[in-house]
Amino acid sequence: MTDLSGVRSVPAAPARPLPAGGITSPLRVLWLSAWQVIGLAAIGAGLGAMYSFLAEPEYRATTTLLIEPKEANVVEIDKVYDSSSVLREYQRTQYELLRSRELASAIVESLQLEAHPIYADDVAEMREGDSSWKAQVGSFIKTHAPAVYDALDLETYLARRETLVDVVVDHLSIQPVPNTYLVDISYRSPDPQLSADVANEVVTRFVYRERDARAGITEEAVGWLTQRLEQSRDELQKSEARLQQFLEDQNLVNVGGARGLAEDELTEQTRRLREARLRREQMANVYSKIRAAGSRIELLQEIPLIQEDPLVRDTKAAYLSAKEALEQLGPRYGAKHPTRVTAQARFDAARSAYFTQLRIRADGLRSEYELADSTVRDLQANVDRSMTRIQSLDRKDYELRVLEREVQANRELYETFLRRFKETEATSDLQPGNARVIDRATVPGEPVWPKPLLLTIACGLLGLFAGCGLVLVREALDDSVKSTEELEALTGTPILCSLPKLSGRKSTAEKLVRLELDDPKSTYAEGVRTLRTSVLLSDASARPTKRIMVCSSLPEEGKTSISSNLAIVLAEREKVLLIDTDLRRPRLAKLFGLPATPGLWQVLSGEAPLDACIQSFAEGHLHLMTAGGEIRNPQVMLASQRFHALLDTLSQRYDRIVFDTPPVQLVSDALLFARMMDAVILVARADTTGRKVVASAARHLRDTEAPLLGAVLNQVDIRRARDSEGGYYYRYGYYG
């Protein structure tokens, strides 16, 4: 294998951000495409002017109508039929009535628009048809089926009538005057007299129809009020009869007084009931103790309320005194001693009297409790009866109030209808309208459409805006490289030169490959010489750049023209060999007018010796080696040991070797031997090559450790470059 230790490699450059367009970028884009924008504006203005002179003129007549929100009040009464409370809704309603189809149909009939010359042709066409066979069919139907013909003719008439109504509605304009009750009614027509007639007829019909409608509404209101007045009178009489019958049935004179007496009685009974309940609650505890004592009289002594009785206290004192005397005589006298017998008798009598009084008092308390309980029940029954009576009075009072309200409502309704009926009947002869004509339409002297100057300017501005929009959209969607700054940022390498865009015969491929010889004072030739200078300056390193590869991302970017002209300018001082390594689509032989074979393919395959495959160019020290024809799989040959040995041999015989290679994005042929080069030049075409494509090609070259020397921006628009970057690279040539 070939030793690659001496191959020079260039490290990958750091990524750079793309240059920003700045605030002036849209303006710059528009300036660069000024002629396109101006052309579209001129086309728009021309179309507008053409339409202005070819379009049929239209005239507009205007009538001013006053629509007041309310009619004049003569007798200061509310209108029966005017229920609108929102002025805006009322006015909108009037505007819709002005443009209604009913009003338009009346205008078509009153002005006989079917016979007007403007619509006569359309009417005749609808009546007779567009071809003779329709007329023949119509004549046949009229002869053999008159009824069917009449029906068809009526249908045609109605269709024609609806068409004319649509025309009137479409050409009618309703425009309110701001901050007033005025409204302008305008009609557009090719006939000035017709426009004035229709505008005046609209307001006339509208005013008359409004007055007729108000008169009809008034008559309808009088009839309706009469009917409602009779119904309300009958309802009033029925409600009064029901009220009187209710008073008689319930024997009511004054429900309010009876209810007051019942409330006073209920209050007194409630007070007594509360006192009785309190008394019963007080006796309830004593009563329970008496019942618990039962027949054991001695337990009654423990009840405080019994002990508080005076008789109980007296008998108890006698009982205790007799008991004390007996206890004193007991130790002194025997049981049968008269003194003790007397004391014992007194004790028994006092004890019996005391117990008897306890029982009597207990029975009295029991009776008092039972009486209190009975009183509570009686008072509770009386309270319930009083409440029931009050509720009954309330129900009667409610029914009475309902009947009275019904009578009152019917009486007010009757009086309202009676008053409205008298007011409406009194004002039925006076129906002032709230719409009147202020200014009638006059026959216009000048058409309102088309306006040639205005239409021309408007269409021109529309074309101008459309052109600006298209240019900006195209620029926004364009992803191609446009400047050297973008190319330098995308490739990460310096820009060696920029070559201008050529037009005419110089732009052909046959002229471009030797443009440096044919026109050495051109800016293109100066650009190529700048590229040569960049290559020569790269020789300042330890190893000269003998092997120079010129490649591009995609086809048609100018790599062949640049490699050819670079070889030509290098051959002015050195011995240079130009090799066409694009074995898939070779072009150098055809462009230079040389035989295609033998060439590189024949050398690598051993079909021809090296010297036989090198052809001399007429001028300078330039030699060429063609591709030798197209082959399908050149990668095997370009990656072979024979090709590497050939490079070493040629490097010894020539000062410079320029390689024209295939695009690196489409095929990998050039990438196979890119590492063997001393310098690789990447060509990009301005306004054509995409940014992503250029960045990808540069990345592929670095991945293969190719010595990427720099980039060339080809086919640069000089005018665009001047405005965008100052034009430092295209100001080539000689000063006179």
Side-chain angles (χ1 to χ4, degrees), residues 269-313:
Q269 290 177 354
T270 302
R271 183 186 63 79
R272 294 174 58 190
L273 176 61
R274 187 168 55 252
E275 294 176 353
R277 286 178 175 174
L278 181 60
R279 178 61 181 170
R280 187 182 65 177
E281 291 175 359
Q282 293 175 352
M283 297 294 297
N285 188 27
V286 178
Y287 177 75
S288 61
K289 292 181 178 180
I290 293 174
R291 291 190 59 183
S295 58
R296 294 177 293 178
I297 299 176
E298 60 276 6
L299 296 179
L300 298 177
Q301 300 179 74
E302 300 176 358
I303 300 175
L305 190 59
I306 295 178
Q307 296 295 331
E308 293 176 358
D309 185 72
L311 294 177
V312 173
R313 287 199 303 269

Side-chain angles (χ1 to χ4, degrees), residues 124-152:
E125 181 180 348
M126 294 176 65
R127 181 178 299 171
E128 300 297 337
D130 295 333
S131 57
S132 59
W133 68 270
K134 291 185 178 180
Q136 295 176 2
V137 172
S139 177
F140 178 82
I141 296 175
K142 184 176 182 181
T143 303
H144 296 84
V148 176
Y149 181 81
D150 294 340
L152 294 176

Side-chain angles (χ1 to χ4, degrees), residues 88-100:
R88 181 174 54 193
E89 295 179 357
Y90 170 77
Q91 290 178 334
R92 289 180 179 176
T93 302
Q94 302 304 311
Y95 303 155
E96 293 300 324
L97 291 176
L98 282 169
R99 60 167 62 94
S100 63

Side-chain angles (χ1 to χ4, degrees), residues 12 22 89 164 183 187 190 253 317 337 344 381 426 597 608 651:
E89 295 179 357
L164 292 177
V183 57
Y187 187 78
V253 178
H337 191 276
Q344 183 67 40
T597 57
S651 298

